[in-house]
Amino acid sequence: QVRLVETGGGLVQPGGSLRLSCTSSGIIFGINNMGWYRQAPGQERELVATITTGGGTNYADSVKGRFTISRGTAKNLAYLQMNSLKPEDTAVYYCNANLPLRGMQLWGQGTLVTVSS
């Protein structure tokens, strides 16, 4: 079964940057939107950003102007460039692939981002 894998998380100081990557273990056909979500301790998972096949993007208000989502090719499905990081950005970040024709979504296992001095 194809899996999504997120990489690029880690510990960064406030104001710093990280770039998250989402790769698949195999070629996936039928992906529509790609998305990044996050879940902070004790909170529900929330949308961070999405990108359509045409490149249209949508961001949570809390990250607008600081984060940029982009799509890759082949097994490199998506990226999330995070700048001007704040402590409140601390969370586990998850990659999501939407496959509407197959009626399914794929999730990665998450990568932890910690913003702290």
Side-chain angles (χ1 to χ4, degrees):
Q1 185 173 353
V2 177
R3 299 181 297 112
L4 301 186
V5 179
E6 302 95 336
T7 57
L11 174 63
V12 63
Q13 292 186 343
S17 298
L18 284 175
R19 185 179 190 234
L20 305 184
S21 298
C22 176
T23 59
S24 64
S25 58
I27 299 296
I28 305 174
F29 297 99
I31 295 178
N32 186 353
N33 295 354
M34 290 294 305
W36 287 95
Y37 292 73
R38 67 185 181 187
Q39 187 167 17
Q43 298 187 21
E44 295 187 353
R45 190 173 298 189
E46 65 176 1
L47 172 69
V48 176
T50 60
I51 185 167
T52 68
T53 52
T57 58
N58 180 55
Y59 296 93
D61 288 342
S62 59
V63 306
K64 281 182 181 177
R66 300 187 298 122
F67 290 12
T68 303
I69 187 172
S70 60
R71 295 186 77 126
T73 59
K75 297 181 182 180
N76 301 309
L77 298 179
Y79 304 95
L80 185 68
Q81 178 66 42
M82 306 186 294
N83 299 327
S84 302
L85 283 161
K86 305 175 181 180
E88 50 264 43
D89 294 319
T90 295
V92 177
Y93 284 71
Y94 297 91
C95 175
N96 170 267
N98 185 32
L99 291 81
L101 296 181
R102 297 166 62 179
M104 63 186 294
Q105 297 192 45
L106 298 176
W107 292 91
Q109 83 292 342
T111 185
L112 177 62
V113 172
T114 303
V115 184
S116 176
S117 55

